[in-house]
Amino acid sequence: MLIPLSIAWQRRTGLHGSLYALVFVPAWMFFMYWMMQLGIYLWHYNLAIAHLSTFIESLIYLKVFHDALPHRRQQKTIHILMAGFIIFALLDSFYLEGFQQINSYTNLAESILVTGLILSYFEEAAFSQKHSHLLRTPLFVASIGILLYLAGTVTVFLFTNHFITTNNELYARLIYLISSTLVFVLALLLTRAFYLVQPITSSKLA
């Protein structure tokens, strides 16, 4: 995640709106990785940190596509979905699944909501730009990475809870490797997305 962050920093003058919010995705994931490692080191437990990671990550995605979708009605709908998601996520963490397992229901809700927003964004992008330019549109490229990542992690998290319950370390480690691969694909596409951002130079400002 440091690679897309470094590219974003180099092209920071060209970041605005949804692209500015997108920077928080790799930043948050990098930060939470080390927080989870710290949780293991200090308490031999990090599931509560994983709950927080999914919760905030989801809100970042919602913010990204709130800024990307131009119509006020769409943005109002996202506000309502965000409020509903916050209530559901808290209910999941404190009551439905608790802090002894991964908040897979929250992850599923995240995947459904964000996938719907990505499809809405794809529709907007397809009608507003030529198809040949879509793969050179930063947010479009990043959205593909987010879509692939969420599609994979929702299944991974559901299996993870089973392996936590059965204390199956071998398969839990296998699931972790699959999750790492999905993160790697996301990082690659985020790197490509930020690379496509055109920074504003001093000559352009003049």
Side-chain angles (χ1 to χ4, degrees):
M1 288 300 161
L2 283 178
I3 297 175
L5 276 175
S6 64
I7 299 296
W9 175 256
Q10 292 171 13
R11 298 170 181 269
R12 61 190 180 278
T13 56
L15 297 174
H16 54 84
S18 57
L19 291 176
Y20 181 80
L22 186 66
V23 176
F24 288 91
V25 173
W28 178 253
M29 293 181 77
F30 180 77
F31 174 72
M32 290 310 297
Y33 170 79
W34 289 108
M35 289 299 295
M36 291 183 72
Q37 297 305 310
L38 184 64
I40 292 173
Y41 178 76
L42 293 178
W43 307 296
H44 305 288
Y45 168 82
N46 63 7
L47 290 176
I49 300 172
H51 280 234
L52 178 64
S53 177
T54 302
F55 178 68
I56 300 298
E57 182 184 309
S58 303
L59 296 182
I60 295 172
Y61 291 141
L62 291 173
K63 172 61 176 172
V64 168
F65 293 101
H66 169 273
D67 294 346
L69 294 170
H71 304 298
R72 180 172 290 275
R73 180 177 295 179
Q74 292 172 317
Q75 293 180 344
K76 186 175 181 180
T77 300
I78 293 173
H79 290 159
I80 296 171
L81 292 174
M82 188 178 293
F85 174 80
I86 290 171
I87 294 170
F88 176 78
L90 293 175
L91 182 65
D92 183 28
S93 293
F94 286 97
Y95 179 73
L96 296 177
E97 293 183 288
F99 291 106
Q100 298 307 312
Q101 57 183 341
I102 294 291
N103 51 345
S104 58
Y105 297 158
T106 298
N107 186 261
L108 177 61
E110 172 195 33
S111 297
I112 293 171
L113 286 178
V114 178
T115 297
L117 293 177
I118 289 174
L119 294 177
S120 296
Y121 166 71
F122 282 170
E123 183 180 18
E124 291 280 346
F127 281 107
S128 63
Q129 301 181 48
K130 294 182 179 179
H131 293 281
S132 60
H133 292 168
L134 286 176
L135 292 179
R136 297 192 62 82
T137 302
L139 186 58
F140 187 87
V141 173
S143 296
I144 294 173
I146 295 169
L147 191 62
L148 293 173
Y149 171 72
L150 290 179
T153 54
V154 65
T155 304
V156 165
F157 280 9
L158 287 171
F159 278 108
T160 298
N161 276 339
H162 172 71
F163 296 137
I164 290 174
T165 302
T166 58
N167 199 28
N168 191 324
E169 184 179 357
L170 175 63
Y171 284 101
R173 289 183 179 275
L174 178 61
I175 288 294
Y176 179 79
L177 289 175
I178 295 171
S179 177
S180 298
T181 302
L182 294 170
V183 171
F184 179 72
V185 171
L186 175 61
L188 283 177
L189 289 170
L190 287 176
T191 300
R192 173 62 178 169
F194 290 128
Y195 179 78
L196 290 170
V197 173
Q198 296 299 316
I200 300 174
T201 62
S202 56
S203 58
K204 289 181 180 179
L205 291 173

